[in-house]
Amino acid sequence: MPVIEFKKVEKYYGKFHALKNINLQVEKGEVVVVIGPSGSGKSTLIRTINGLEEIEEGQLLVNGYDLADKKTDLNQIRKDVGMVFQHFNLYDNKTVLENIMLAPKLVLKRNEAENKETALKLLESVGVSDKTASYPKQLSGGQKQRVAIARSLAMKPKALLFDEPTSALDPEMIDDVLNVMKAIAKEGMTMVVVTHEMGFAREVADRVVFMDNGEILENAQADEFFEAPKEERAKQFLSKIIKH
Amino acid sequence: MISVFQQHGQELLTGLENTILCSVIALFFSLIIGSTVAIFEVLPSKFLRIIGKIYIEVFRNIPLLVIGMFFYVVVPQYVFPMDGFTAGTIGLTLYTSSFIAETVRAGIQAVDGGQMEGARANGLSFMQAMWHIVLPQAFKYVIPPLGNQFINLVKNSSVLAFVAGFDLMYQGDMIASATFDTFNTYIAVGILYLIITLPLSYYMRYLEKKLA
Amino acid sequence: MKRLRKMLLVAGIFILGGLLGACSSSKTQSTWNEDKANNTITWGVKADTRLFGLMDVGTGQIKGFDIDVAKAVTKKILGAKGKAKFVQVTSKTRIPLLKNGNINAIIATMTITPDREKIVDFSKVYFAAGQSLLVKKGSSIKNVKDLNKAGTTVLAVKGSTSAVNIKKSAPNAKVLELEDYAQAFTALKSGQGQALTTDNGILFGIASENPGYHVVGGTFTNEPYGIAVDQGQTELKNKINKALSEMRKDGTYQKLLQKWFGNVAGFNLKEASQQ
Ligand SMILES: Nc1ncnc2c1ncn2[C@@H]1O[C@H](COP(=O)(O)OP(=O)(O)O)[C@@H](O)[C@H]1O
Ligand SMILES: [Mg+2]
């Protein structure tokens, strides 16, 4: 059974048709990179997966729960699906360590000692163990994003969603974050990543999804896609961002 | 004016006590009710949002005196008995809570939406995210306007005078009508109000600086 | 810097107090001369008291015995063209308004008392009221003695003599003072007290409109109503006294009394017209 499965999903913002007939499966351990021009619906797509956006039609199954069903407990899904945002969204009123320990404590009722141990280990693995007592304000963008990734991992999720995790970072910090993401991918995490980092996509992605105008135009094995995209618009898009 | 304090010190003290007591009670409950209504207003549920909106519009737009009189004369007649102090304090609580609700709601909305989104995506429930993440940050924005609300609350507690609640203003009325020395009596009463409100406003300013 | 600000603040308060104090003690000149010049007397009257001074919501005019007496006195003093101007007062506001010159005279169910005589001058008695009690029909309270029990609450109006009197006549009762008669009566209806006390004339006015309530126990104090002018306005006071005497002589007074109180059940006209 796929971890994430879209079946004929339609999404509207009022009259605006933001997602059109989306069909997509993400298998356990798979890394799917979503690319496409700005405004094509990438964020919307990824945000529907943990219920930050509602869908109007079709079925969206995450870990077997149907998100279109009003009875589905979204908190249950969010427990298992972490999300990393472009602008980090760390808790400004909490220290780095508290940021990581809060959800496991409140949601998973993890005991204090274990919670702290896990948190410290994660901070070490993302390379910010010297900042445990700092507040988000005091961190660089790259540090913030790595803390945010650690925060998601602390929930021991079954899948992780990334929405342009490096777009708000200074260039010299991008690699630090990408390296952390690569390491997570190697450990077998199921990941959906919206990004313009083609190097990362080539190296890590199993599959690439190309979106435009709310539609999935191409959904291909990563190596096939980068060798020769079938869609004309995907070709143009690729050539544009690779020139950069 | 000194003579007013000398001859009617006991009455003024009773008034001062009742004014402070009423203010403290009303402050406590209007904070709780006001914050709750503020949360109603930012809830995903449209029904509760409307309830919150109605609550605020009703109590904010009726004169305090009318609310106080309602609890003093209408409620005892049809529901259950209560004295003037209770009626006035309830009226003041409801009235103030509607302003506090507006203030706190504005504070909540001033907190970056990413905070709530991050918390929800992290697995926290709406209430957990509110309590642990959004409200503590909103509180910072809300301190200065809330301080004004508290000072207004103390001044507005003079509504008790109209429902025989034995507050400072009521005692002032009594003393003035017994001595006919309206001028000095109300000066004395005014000074006693200042004794409550001035430290409060200085404390608020101090808090504001500390949190900034 | 902080110290300085604090000092300025305190100084400000005292300066403010001093200024207000100075204003309040400045004396106006003879109001009678002003009245003569304007051909108008400005009266402070009640607007919430049936039979004495009550605002007619339809016309916006105040009507009652006090009003009619004031008009008659004005005509006697200033002649047929003399105008009576009316300003609404309550028991609480009437003396301050007289003192600061907003009104020339008070005719507002005001009892002549020694305390009040220290700060205003009264005319002769124009209505001999007495304090009484209004209770719900069927109430166990029959007279003022029944009030003198702990747990009994009596309602009165701020600034009136009735509150003071009841504290003397029934020291064990709790007295609550409200803003005006309408509020005091509403409080009685909603059970905030067991009896409403004030002058009989006023209570009869309320009872006439509210059949469930009646006046009990007769009068237990003498409340002679007088017209008040500010201290030292002797000329105006004398003119008013002369006018009142003339009214009694020519029958105007009796006609007015009959007009307002003739039909009030249980009301003693003779007692009220005592001088
Ligand atoms: N909350 C919203 N309300 C209305 N329109 C929205 C909202 N969020 C996104 N959109 C619109 O949906 C389209 C897709 O947006 P988005 O998913 O953010 O695109 P991308 O992430 O690919 O840049 C855009 O046209 C955007 O303006
Ligand atoms: Mg986006």
Side-chain angles (χ1 to χ4, degrees):
Chain A
M1 191 181 65
V3 180
I4 300 163
E5 184 169 16
F6 287 78
K7 289 182 185 168
K8 296 188 176 161
V9 167
E10 309 282 345
K11 159 81 192 166
Y12 294 85
Y13 290 116
K15 284 216 170 97
F16 181 74
H17 202 168
L19 293 180
K20 299 169 188 163
N21 189 27
I22 301 292
N23 292 286
L24 179 68
Q25 297 190 354
V26 181
E27 300 294 337
K28 190 167 185 306
E30 221 181 356
V31 176
V32 175
V33 165
V34 181
I35 61 174
S38 174
S40 57
K42 307 180 296 291
S43 295
T44 307
L45 178 87
I46 207 172
R47 287 161 60 87
T48 59
I49 298 173
N50 67 353
L52 286 178
E53 300 291 351
E54 280 180 24
I55 62 171
E56 269 70 44
E57 271 173 60
Q59 254 192 330
L60 174 48
L61 300 169
V62 177
N63 288 322
Y65 295 101
D66 184 0
L67 274 141
D69 186 349
K70 293 262 180 280
K71 275 173 282 183
T72 302
D73 181 8
L74 287 177
N75 291 328
Q76 194 60 39
I77 290 165
R78 289 178 182 140
K79 228 163 54 175
D80 289 336
V81 181
M83 176 136 181
V84 175
F85 299 86
Q86 181 177 353
H87 295 288
F88 330 119
N89 295 358
L90 289 179
Y91 309 140
D92 290 337
N93 60 324
K94 304 270 178 207
T95 64
V96 165
L97 193 61
E98 287 166 346
N99 260 277
I100 294 173
M101 289 171 64
L102 185 68
K105 176 175 137 199
L106 293 177
V107 182
L108 306 178
K109 317 279 179 222
R110 191 176 290 162
N111 78 53
E112 178 77 14
E114 186 193 340
N115 196 6
K116 191 163 182 181
E117 197 190 314
T118 316
L120 289 173
K121 240 187 243 161
L122 281 168
L123 282 173
E124 196 173 342
S125 71
V126 300
V128 278
S129 43
D130 53 333
K131 297 284 182 190
T132 52
S134 307
Y135 283 88
K137 264 201 300 222
Q138 301 162 312
L139 303 182
S140 74
Q143 288 169 328
K144 279 186 203 171
Q145 197 58 298
R146 283 179 282 150
V147 172
I149 293 171
R151 182 174 74 177
S152 293
L153 288 173
M155 291 296 282
K156 304 221 156 85
K158 298 206 171 83
L160 268 187
L161 312 172
F162 295 83
D163 190 2
E164 304 202 25
T166 56
S167 300
L169 299 181
D170 292 335
E172 72 272 17
M173 296 176 174
I174 291 178
D175 280 342
D176 293 343
V177 172
L178 290 180
N179 288 337
V180 168
M181 289 169 65
K182 283 176 198 166
I184 298 168
K186 279 217 185 75
E187 280 169 25
M189 176 66 72
T190 310
M191 291 163 66
V192 180
V193 185
V194 177
T195 186
H196 298 297
E197 295 298 328
M198 289 304 120
F200 172 83
R202 269 180 212 276
E203 188 179 336
V204 186
D206 298 305
R207 238 156 5 103
V208 175
V209 168
F210 175 75
M211 288 186 77
D212 197 10
N213 273 327
E215 286 177 284
I216 294 184
L217 291 186
E218 191 159 350
N219 177 356
Q221 293 300 317
D223 38 9
E224 286 173 25
F225 180 84
F226 285 115
E227 236 150 76
K230 293 194 188 72
E231 282 288 324
E232 190 52 37
R233 269 186 276 177
K235 258 181 220 160
Q236 285 171 7
F237 179 77
L238 260 191
S239 67
K240 249 190 233 159
I241 57 172
I242 284 169
K243 255 189 237 152
H244 272 301
Chain B
M1 193 194 77
I2 304 294
S3 71
V4 176
F5 283 114
Q6 282 166 346
Q7 286 163 24
H8 299 278
Q10 190 50 52
E11 285 108 307
L12 287 173
L13 193 65
T14 309
L16 189 67
E17 277 169 16
N18 281 324
T19 290
I20 292 175
L21 186 65
C22 162
S23 302
V24 169
I25 296 173
L27 175 61
F28 179 76
F29 286 105
S30 59
L31 257 182
I32 292 179
I33 298 174
S35 304
T36 308
V37 173
I39 291 172
F40 271 35
E41 280 228 288
V42 295
L43 237 38
S45 152
K46 194 167 181 183
F47 176 71
L48 291 178
R49 277 208 310 268
I50 290 174
I51 299 275
K53 191 99 219 136
I54 291 175
Y55 180 92
I56 291 175
E57 292 305 338
V58 165
F59 288 113
R60 197 175 56 157
N61 292 307
I62 298 178
L64 172 56
L65 191 50
V66 175
I67 305 175
M69 280 315 267
F70 179 83
F71 280 93
Y72 188 58
V73 300
V74 180
V75 173
Q77 202 166 349
Y78 299 106
V79 195
F80 46 79
M82 66 174 80
D83 62 16
F85 182 85
T86 312
T89 307
I90 293 177
L92 184 61
T93 302
L94 297 180
Y95 181 77
T96 310
S97 68
S98 68
F99 287 92
I100 290 185
E102 278 296 78
T103 309
V104 174
R105 179 191 57 79
I108 290 174
Q109 287 175 342
V111 175
D112 176 29
Q115 296 289 307
M116 172 58 87
E117 209 159 67
R120 297 310 302 275
N122 201 197
L124 270 60
S125 69
F126 180 86
M127 282 316 292
Q128 286 172 331
M130 233 347 146
W131 186 252
H132 293 277
I133 306 302
V134 179
L135 281 181
Q137 295 182 50
F139 192 64
K140 237 175 33 190
Y141 298 108
V142 163
I143 286 283
L146 219 48
N148 284 333
Q149 299 295 353
F150 294 169
I151 289 161
N152 280 338
L153 181 146
V154 173
K155 294 187 287 181
N156 286 337
S157 70
S158 61
V159 70
L160 285 188
F162 294 84
V163 291
F166 294 92
D167 70 320
L168 204 44
M169 185 65 193
Y170 181 84
Q171 300 293 18
D173 284 345
M174 296 301 102
I175 296 166
S177 63
T179 61
F180 307 110
D181 188 358
T182 328
F183 175 75
N184 284 314
T185 306
Y186 289 121
I187 290 279
V189 167
I191 286 174
L192 288 176
Y193 275 110
L194 279 180
I195 286 178
I196 311 176
T197 51
L198 274 187
L200 202 58
S201 69
Y202 273 97
Y203 180 65
M204 282 299 161
R205 228 165 285 171
Y206 161 79
L207 261 189
E208 221 174 291
K209 275 209 197 98
K210 209 179 107 180
L211 285 173
Chain C
M1 183 60 206
K2 260 206 172 140
R3 249 326 236 298
L4 182 75
R5 263 176 43 192
K6 247 177 237 164
M7 273 163 59
L8 280 175
L9 194 75
V10 173
I13 291 170
F14 279 100
I15 290 169
L16 193 73
L19 275 176
L20 289 168
C23 292
S24 77
S25 57
S26 69
K27 269 268 172 280
T28 38
Q29 305 183 334
S30 164
T31 36
W32 165 235
N33 286 335
E34 280 173 38
D35 295 345
K36 220 168 25 183
N38 301 334
N39 212 28
T40 305
I41 299 178
T42 305
W43 300 86
V45 296
K46 291 273 183 77
D48 66 339
T49 312
R50 193 168 292 283
L51 302 177
F52 288 92
L54 184 71
M55 176 72 80
D56 182 328
V57 184
T59 63
Q61 294 202 318
I62 306 173
K63 290 175 179 163
F65 179 69
D66 281 350
I67 311 298
D68 285 354
V69 171
K71 282 180 182 161
V73 169
T74 308
K75 299 268 185 253
K76 295 261 182 221
I77 296 177
L78 297 174
K81 288 226 179 92
K83 274 187 299 231
K85 205 178 130 196
F86 296 109
V87 171
Q88 287 185 33
V89 299
T90 65
S91 299
K92 202 172 107 180
T93 61
R94 58 193 172 190
I95 290 178
L97 286 175
L98 182 70
K99 286 278 168 193
N100 68 20
N102 280 346
I103 53 180
N104 304 127
I106 301 169
I107 179 160
T109 65
M110 189 170 179
T111 307
I112 303 169
T113 68
D115 275 346
R116 287 178 180 159
E117 276 181 315
K118 283 181 210 152
I119 48 168
V120 298
D121 286 350
F122 280 105
S123 72
K124 291 192 286 194
V125 179
Y126 75 91
F127 186 92
Q131 192 169 340
S132 193
L133 301 173
L134 181 74
V135 298
K136 200 173 184 152
K137 279 183 182 158
S139 161
S140 64
I141 292 164
K142 301 278 183 275
N143 56 49
V144 69
K145 288 198 198 80
D146 293 338
L147 293 178
N148 195 20
K149 286 183 283 211
T152 309
T153 304
V154 187
L155 303 164
V157 168
K158 278 180 191 168
S160 67
T161 47
S162 8
V164 180
N165 290 335
I166 208 78
K167 281 174 194 160
K168 278 184 208 140
S169 313
N172 292 324
K174 184 176 176 190
V175 182
L176 296 182
E177 300 184 44
L178 289 127
E179 294 300 303
D180 56 32
Y181 295 113
Q183 285 190 19
F185 181 62
T186 323
L188 178 69
K189 278 203 289 192
S190 51
Q192 296 290 358
Q194 288 80 52
L196 168 57
T197 187
T198 185
D199 303 342
N200 55 347
I202 298 168
L203 293 180
F204 277 114
I206 298 174
S208 70
E209 288 297 305
N210 297 280
Y213 293 81
H214 61 171
V215 181
V216 295
T219 56
F220 57 91
T221 62
N222 289 320
E223 304 290 333
Y225 288 174
I227 297 172
V229 298
D230 199 1
Q231 258 179 347
Q233 303 291 343
T234 318
E235 205 179 351
L236 179 59
K237 187 182 83 178
N238 291 340
K239 297 261 176 200
I240 290 173
N241 277 335
K242 193 164 153 256
L244 285 175
S245 301
E246 282 174 28
M247 282 168 61
R248 285 190 192 258
K249 246 179 250 155
D250 67 16
T252 322
Y253 177 82
Q254 286 74 9
K255 239 170 50 198
L256 290 181
L257 203 61
Q258 180 67 34
K259 171 183 169 190
W260 288 102
F261 298 96
N263 298 324
V264 177
F267 188 83
N268 188 337
L269 280 182
K270 232 201 183 127
E271 194 183 296
S273 64
Q274 277 167 4
Q275 305 209 28

